């Protein structure tokens, strides 16, 4: 009976009832969106801190010669390593590791040097083109990576630069050549003594007390010429080239993920596992090798690679090209066996010093028993992991220290843009929730007044029929619940349906706004941004919270007005006219 009368009372004024249902539905829907957005931002911020990594890359340029691509030895990085904002600092060493178990293929070797070198004995057949071209018959191949170099072949040799040789037909000589390109002849072999090839063999000079190769071509007068005199230098050069075929590039690192090519996912560990934090801390003798080199050498996960190190310091060639050919491996410092725990693959090339040759092996820095007395600070060899969102704070801290010549570039995978967008979303959520709360409060007060505070006539009729106060209160509350359930229920469903779309649209707009901000063009480098979307919270939480809030608020204020109506004696209500 009370339920039936409550329904009749609700629809006694259909226009007014429909209006309040619409208003309550709108407030609930917007309140649902605001709560959902606020929950999404909090969960997304926590997720972003776990999903993103921020690294800083350090470059050095001599303040007195900033245009020079120079590097600094033994730079004091203590202000950076002592910063509480720096999680891990990595100053990598470049080493050359010799192993009979590894053969660097022609493809890997060419990608490292850009040339294919050959050393052979030849007999001069003819001198052409004013002495700049020679026709030569190959007598004996001493070293080559070029299968077209064969004994008995007659080839053209080009004399590079301003060199002049007093060569005679029919005489026997030894030379070093590389395959080059001539606009008239196209592919041609160029005579290439180490002294002419700039810095390529600069470390090798120390083998003979800086006695440089005086001639690019040496005449052979003794069948045992490689064992003594000037011929010994050619013997050393041959050994160096042969060793280079078994010499891999080795990086000792404290944090692989701070290396830019791995940070940007241009190189990925595709099999096995990466070097763990425990491996770094304990100096476990483990390593990562490229999948291509492993395939070429028949290496698998779990295999051990024995590496011999003979140079305690970095070998750096001009333009940051590293050359394992500079190592003779005669003065052995250490021989270590490293277990292969992971295979990586280069997914995208990077220009300049930040690229990666596929003959590179990565090992934990503490797995080495020595540290060189002098090492080189150069691009791509010093980096660190920074606490997310602390780039500006770190730069302010570094301004307090004198760090001449250093410049920083930061890569955060788009974290700054994402956090900026989420921060804007949080402000929007708080504003939307606050406005909805105030507007909703007004609507609830108005509803309570009209649907409860002015029910004297209905209460008087119920009293005249002998209804008790408790049943009258039940009548009022059921009336309230019918309207609120309709309005808040519709609003909750609408907010539930629109939440994901609204979140995605707001996040996308805020991200675009942050992307065009000038703040991200000064200290942030071009980065491969992680695919991150705002996290939608548990689906029922926001609509239930919004609907429950509207319901409780309405019941609270309706109860207050109901108490005011029911406080009067029945005889007073029956005789009082409704206002």
């Amino acid at each position: 009976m009370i339920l039936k009368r409550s329904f009749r009372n609700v629809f006694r004024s259909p226009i007014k009832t429909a209006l309040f249902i619409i208003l309550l539905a709108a407030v609930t829907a917007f309140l649902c969106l605001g709560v959902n957005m606020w929950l999404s931002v909090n969960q997304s911020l926590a997720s972003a801190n776990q999903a993103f990594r921020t690294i800083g890359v350090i470059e050095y340029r001599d303040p007195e010669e900033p245009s020079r691509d120079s590097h600094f030895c033994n730079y004091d990085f203590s202000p950076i390593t002592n910063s509480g904002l720096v999680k891990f600092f990595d100053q990598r060493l470049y080493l050359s590791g010799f192993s009979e178990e590894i053969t660097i293929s022609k493809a890997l070797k060419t990608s490292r040097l850009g040339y294919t070198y050959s050393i052979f004995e030849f007999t001069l057949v003819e001198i052409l083109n004013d002495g700049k071209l020679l026709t030569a018959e190959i007598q004996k191949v001493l070293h080559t990576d070029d299968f077209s170099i064969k004994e008995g072949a007659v080839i053209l040799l080009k004399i590079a630069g301003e060199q002049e040789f007093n060569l005679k037909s029919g005489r026997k000589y030894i030379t070093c050549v590389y395959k080059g390109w001539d606009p008239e002849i196209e592919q041609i072999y160029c005579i290439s003594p180490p002294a002419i090839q700039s810095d390529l063999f600069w470390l090798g000079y120390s083998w003979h007390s800086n006695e440089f190769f005086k001639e690019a071509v040496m005449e052979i007068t003794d069948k045992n010429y490689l064992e003594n005199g000037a011929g010994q230098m050619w013997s050393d050069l041959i050994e160096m080239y042969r060793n280079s075929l078994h010499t891999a590039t080795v990086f000792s690192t404290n944090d692989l993920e701070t290396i830019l090519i791995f940070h940007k996912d241009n190189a990925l560990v595709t099999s096995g596992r990466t070097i763990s934090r425990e491996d770094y801390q304990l100096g476990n003798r483990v390593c990562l090798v490229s999948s291509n080199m492993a395939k070429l050498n028949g290496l698998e996960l779990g295999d051990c690679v024995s590496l011999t190190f003979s140079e305690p310091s970095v070998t750096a060639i001009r333009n940051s090209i590293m050359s394992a050919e500079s190592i003779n491996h005669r003065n052995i410092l250490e021989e270590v066996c490293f277990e292969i725990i992971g295979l990586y693959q280069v997914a995208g090339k990077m220009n300049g010093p930040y690229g990666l040759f596929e003959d590179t092996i990565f090992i934990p820095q503490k797995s080495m028993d020595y540290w060189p007395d002098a090492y080189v600070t150069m691009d791509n060899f010093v980096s660190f992991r920074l606490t997310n969102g602390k780039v500006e704070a770190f730069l302010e801290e570094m301004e307090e220290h004198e760090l001449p010549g250093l410049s920083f570039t930061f890569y955060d995978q788009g974290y700054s843009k994402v956090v900026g967008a989420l921060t804007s979303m949080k402000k929007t959520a708080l504003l939307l929730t606050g406005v909805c709360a105030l507007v909703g409060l007004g609507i609830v007060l108005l509803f309570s007044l009209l649907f409860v505070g002015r029910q004297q006539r209905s209460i008087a009729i119920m009293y005249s029929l002998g209804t008790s106060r408790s049943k009258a209160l039940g009548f009022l509350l059921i009336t309230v619940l019918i309207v609120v359930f309709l309005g808040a229920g519709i609003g909750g469903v609408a907010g539930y349906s629109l939440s994901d779309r609204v979140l995605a649209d707001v996040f996308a707009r805020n991200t675009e706004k942050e992307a065009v901000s000038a703040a991200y063009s000064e200290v942030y480098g071009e980065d491969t941004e992680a695919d991150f979307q705002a996290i939608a919270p548990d689906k029922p939480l926001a609509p239930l919270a919004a609907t429950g809030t509207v319901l409780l608020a309405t019941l609270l204020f309706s109860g207050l007005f109901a108490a005011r109506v029911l406080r009067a004696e029945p005889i007073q209500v029956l005789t009082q006219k409704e206002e």
Side-chain angles (χ1 to χ4, degrees), residues 96-113 115 143-145 147 240-250 289-290 292-294 296-297 299 305 307 324-325 329 344 357-361:
S96 292
F98 177 82
S99 176
E100 293 286 357
E101 304 165 21
I102 294 176
T103 298
I104 307 301
S105 72
K106 178 182 177 182
L108 294 176
K109 178 180 171 64
T110 302
S111 68
R112 182 169 63 201
L113 293 178
Y115 293 108
H143 171 82
T144 187
D145 302 318
F147 294 111
M240 183 173 66
Y241 271 127
R242 287 175 177 171
N243 284 341
S244 73
L245 297 178
H246 302 282
T247 301
T249 304
V250 180
V289 301
S290 74
N292 287 344
M293 190 169 74
L296 290 169
N297 289 277
L299 299 174
V305 177
L307 296 175
E325 278 74 358
H329 296 283
Y344 70 85
F357 301 128
E358 293 191 71
D359 71 325
T360 304
I361 298 176

Side-chain angles (χ1 to χ4, degrees), residues 142-157:
L142 302 173
H143 171 82
T144 187
D145 302 318
D146 186 348
F147 294 111
S148 63
I149 297 290
K150 298 180 179 179
E151 295 180 3
V154 177
I155 61 174
L156 281 176
L157 300 180

Side-chain angles (χ1 to χ4, degrees), residues 523-555:
V523 296
Y524 293 89
E526 294 183 5
D527 206 348
T528 302
E529 298 183 4
D531 185 13
F532 186 86
Q533 297 295 327
I535 297 175
D538 295 337
K539 293 292 185 182
L541 188 59
L544 288 177
T547 304
T549 300
V550 173
L551 179 61
L552 290 175
T554 307
L555 288 176

Side-chain angles (χ1 to χ4, degrees), residues 112-113 115 117 192-205 240-241 315 317-318 321-327:
R112 182 169 63 201
L113 293 178
Y115 293 108
Y117 290 88
S192 168
I196 295 175
Q197 284 303 108
S198 185
D199 298 327
L200 186 58
F201 303 101
W202 65 279
L203 196 62
Y205 299 149
M240 183 173 66
Y241 271 127
T315 303
I317 307 304
R318 190 174 57 192
I321 298 175
M322 267 60 74
S323 173
E325 278 74 358
S326 302
I327 308 301

